[in-house]
Amino acid sequence: MTKAILVLNAGSSSLKFSLFEYEAASDLHLMAKGQVEGIGNAPHFVAKDHHEQILADEHWQGEDKDHDHCLRAIATLLNQHYQGLKLLGVGHRVVHGGAHYAAPVRLTPGIINALDALTPLAPLHQSHNLAAIRAVASALPGLPQIACFDTAFHRSQNQINQLFGLPYSCYERGIRRYGFHGLSYEYVSSTLKQREPEIAAGKVVIAHLGNGASMCAVQNGKSVASSMGFTALDGLMMGTRTGNLDAGVVLYLLQQEQLSVQQVEELLYKRSGLLGLSGISSDMRVLLDSHEPQAALAVDYFVHRISRELGSLAASMNGLDALVFTAGIGENSAIIRQRVCEQAQWLGIDIDPHANAANEFCISAIDSPTTVWLIPSNEELMIARHTRTQLGL
Ligand code: AMP
């Protein structure tokens, strides 16, 4: 009988799943993965096995296909293709663990309620993460469920790096820098430790450059500082999110331009970033292929913000030994990596253009004082590993 761990990542309009085979004394192997995109609008369900063979490719009619419906479709698909499968547990990506949860946790009704209380801190994500947990609990009562938090990796940061210059009572009320993308940083730094332990023991900045983008200073495998703060809006400019923004701009939009809170939220999260600056697309590939000056401006600003954040994160560690690129843009765009590295020569970075163009593991020149690496992220595998550990397997 095949034993497996299911990983779920529920977003506002998407539900992603990965199924990993468990065998004692070996690493977890991916069996299948897939996702439903466009939930609430025009849902599209795609699933593939580990040979990239299509298991499902369905466009669903109707706006009534909610997360519950998607979970049932995934369960039906797994029953059809993997008969006799024994599910050992489900690992969930949960965006917010607040100040308390510094590690993955096995869920109980009490902990689910405690995580619910954090929903105001991540209104766009937390409720969907918890909805998936509740749906599994009601469909498969007794099946262990593990929450893995995007914030947990950053709880090693000292207090200075978690503060804002607000009255201290705000910090006590939970208004502090939490940091996100923690599962990606944890996976990337664990991979670096496995492959280059001496580098991983030093001062490393990891640049997670995807549709959501952030950077993290990691020293000896522990998060020191992150570009993301109270929400996933701070730091780098992203596909549709502003990144770092003078809080006075928000006041101006509300008071002088009379925008509603919902309009400002929509502007900051959905209409800004690469999309807003270029007026063309949030997709880096489209902007790099475009000849429009606004596309070039958006790309220039994206690189500029990374360069500034890199300097800031290096300062938070009093130095830099290595830079690691990960996520969609970081893993695939040699030109963005090259431009970031060219602006970071003052930090001792000398890129090897051939290694960079070939997407190699080490992309810095052989005598570069600061080394540069390329490590594809795998948040799902990180969640599956945590789930396995929490299950005591
Ligand atoms: P992620 O959120 O990690 O899936 O990353 C999505 C982002 O990666 C999108 O902005 C894509 O345009 C970008 N991306 C993927 N492949 C490439 C590529 N070859 N060159 C530039 N950007 C890419």
Side-chain angles (χ1 to χ4, degrees), residues 208-212 274 282-286 288 327-329 332-333:
H208 177 110
L209 308 179
N211 193 34
L274 291 171
S282 63
D283 190 321
M284 182 57 86
R285 285 166 294 200
V286 174
L288 288 171
I329 300 169
N332 297 300
S333 178

Side-chain angles (χ1 to χ4, degrees), residues 24-213:
S26 79
D27 201 4
L28 296 156
H29 299 291
L30 185 70
M31 296 172 72
K33 68 188 298 183
Q35 59 197 44
V36 186
E37 302 275 8
I39 299 173
N41 184 19
H44 183 199
F45 178 34
V46 179
K48 295 177 182 170
D49 70 9
H50 62 295
H51 296 303
E52 296 279 309
Q53 294 288 329
I54 304 273
L55 302 177
D57 187 353
E58 300 166 12
H59 290 273
W60 296 336
Q61 295 295 319
E63 293 162 7
D64 58 325
K65 305 289 190 289
D66 58 5
H67 287 72
D68 270 9
H69 180 93
C70 300
L71 274 174
R72 281 196 297 277
I74 292 167
T76 306
L77 180 100
L78 296 182
N79 279 335
Q80 274 170 358
H81 290 274
Y82 302 97
Q83 281 160 12
L85 186 81
K86 178 165 171 47
L87 218 49
L88 301 172
V90 183
H92 294 265
R93 180 183 193 172
V94 176
V95 68
H96 225 300
H100 180 67
Y101 293 102
V105 65
R106 186 162 171 167
L107 290 159
T108 62
I111 293 175
I112 295 173
N113 287 339
L115 295 177
D116 218 356
L118 297 172
T119 298
L121 296 180
L124 302 182
H125 293 99
Q126 191 87 343
S127 56
H128 301 289
N129 303 156
L130 294 174
I133 290 167
R134 289 195 171 106
V136 173
S138 93
L140 299 165
L143 184 68
Q145 298 200 77
I146 311 298
C148 300
F149 304 101
D150 259 330
T151 50
F153 183 67
H154 302 294
R155 297 287 60 75
S156 53
Q157 293 179 9
N158 66 20
Q159 191 189 26
I160 291 289
N161 279 303
Q162 299 188 56
L163 279 174
F164 291 113
L166 288 165
Y168 192 73
S169 58
C170 291
Y171 177 80
E172 290 176 317
R173 294 206 306 277
I175 303 174
R176 49 180 88 176
R177 299 182 66 85
Y178 290 101
F180 296 89
H181 286 142
L183 292 158
S184 172
Y185 293 127
E186 195 178 3
Y187 176 81
V188 169
S189 50
S190 69
T191 304
L192 188 65
K193 185 175 179 187
Q194 211 176 24
R195 297 185 65 172
E196 295 287 338
E198 276 180 31
I199 301 283
K203 297 168 179 174
V204 180
V205 167
I206 304 173
H208 177 110
L209 308 179
N211 193 34

